[in-house]
Amino acid sequence: MKCNMKNEFQILADILSEPNILKKVGHNSKQSIVETMCEQILQSEPDNFEANKLLGEALLGQERYERALTYLKAAFLWDVEDPNLVHDIGYSYFKCAIEKGADSSLDVCDEGAKEYFANAAQFLESCVKDFPNDYDIQFMLGYSYFRLGDYDQSEKYLNASLNNIDITMYRDEVVQLCRYKVNHLSPKI
């Protein structure tokens, strides 16, 4: 039996738009509702763009990055031009890289993490044209390139992030990367 997408998404929209829903069920519960509804839809329609995208975003909101990538990439197959989707994929790859082995030491980055950083950089690069002043994207790109050993690109994006930043939330990380570069990578005089 084919599920009626309009009815399924209308039910989901009704649930999510109900006044005070966050107070009634809590933020994580709201994401769980989305997750459950989308999984049900995807059982009968695995290529459904909206369900894949919504499920990926719900998992992203729950910080389940690896699983979110599965659904975000499935949605990407149907809409490669959606800048927010591209951003979410790049962000998920970036967060997976951090989780997968980007040791706190800037010297150490295992091959699995490098692959995630490379994928993050690829997707985030395509976001820059759509979000040219987004310091989060620029910081993630700069950090990804740094971990990949491309210090020129890293410097370019880290400087851009500092120029566009409203809040100094990444300033300490950028200073740490710069100090590392000076102390470990610059030629000794």
Side-chain angles (χ1 to χ4, degrees), residues 95-107:
K95 295 302 275 189
C96 284
I98 299 296
E99 289 178 348
K100 291 284 182 193
D103 189 288
S104 60
S105 163
L106 293 175
D107 290 331

Side-chain angles (χ1 to χ4, degrees), residues 124-184:
L124 293 169
E125 276 285 355
S126 63
C127 288
V128 172
K129 69 179 179 356
D130 293 308
F131 307 104
N133 298 317
D134 188 313
Y135 58 85
D136 283 325
I137 292 170
Q138 293 163 339
F139 176 79
M140 288 186 289
L141 267 169
Y143 190 85
S144 294
Y145 281 126
F146 189 91
R147 297 312 297 259
L148 293 168
D150 187 341
Y151 303 112
D152 291 335
Q153 284 293 87
S154 174
E155 185 175 9
K156 171 185 162 185
Y157 285 110
L158 291 174
N159 282 333
S161 73
L162 289 174
N163 290 335
N164 289 319
I165 202 163
D166 294 326
I167 305 167
T168 58
M169 61 192 296
Y170 294 128
R171 198 167 294 274
D172 291 341
E173 288 86 349
V174 173
V175 168
Q176 179 187 4
L177 294 173
C178 292
R179 284 188 180 138
Y180 178 86
K181 182 177 178 185
V182 168
N183 293 330
H184 293 89

Side-chain angles (χ1 to χ4, degrees), residues 19-159:
N20 301 316
I21 190 71
L22 290 177
K23 289 180 184 174
K24 291 178 183 176
V25 298
H27 184 65
N28 285 338
S29 295
K30 181 179 174 180
Q31 290 170 334
S32 294
I33 292 168
V34 171
E35 186 175 349
T36 302
M37 294 289 290
C38 288
E39 285 174 343
Q40 288 175 358
I41 293 166
L42 290 171
Q43 283 179 357
S44 60
E45 296 181 48
D47 293 333
N48 184 285
F49 169 76
E50 291 88 0
N52 276 297
K53 184 177 179 186
L54 276 174
L55 181 52
E57 290 170 348
L59 293 166
L60 188 64
Q62 296 172 22
E63 300 180 359
R64 295 163 61 194
Y65 306 113
E66 188 80 37
R67 189 154 179 245
L69 271 171
T70 301
Y71 297 100
L72 294 171
K73 290 189 311 184
F76 181 73
L77 295 174
W78 297 101
D79 187 358
V80 297
E81 299 296 320
D82 182 337
N84 293 312
L85 182 58
V86 172
H87 173 273
D88 289 348
I89 293 171
Y91 179 78
S92 295
Y93 272 123
F94 179 79
K95 295 302 275 189
C96 284
I98 299 296
E99 289 178 348
K100 291 284 182 193
D103 189 288
S104 60
S105 163
L106 293 175
D107 290 331
V108 180
C109 188
D110 73 17
E111 289 306 310
K114 283 184 181 179
E115 185 177 333
Y116 280 104
F117 278 126
N119 287 326
Q122 176 188 350
F123 277 92
L124 293 169
E125 276 285 355
S126 63
C127 288
V128 172
K129 69 179 179 356
D130 293 308
F131 307 104
N133 298 317
D134 188 313
Y135 58 85
D136 283 325
I137 292 170
Q138 293 163 339
F139 176 79
M140 288 186 289
L141 267 169
Y143 190 85
S144 294
Y145 281 126
F146 189 91
R147 297 312 297 259
L148 293 168
D150 187 341
Y151 303 112
D152 291 335
Q153 284 293 87
S154 174
E155 185 175 9
K156 171 185 162 185
Y157 285 110
L158 291 174
N159 282 333

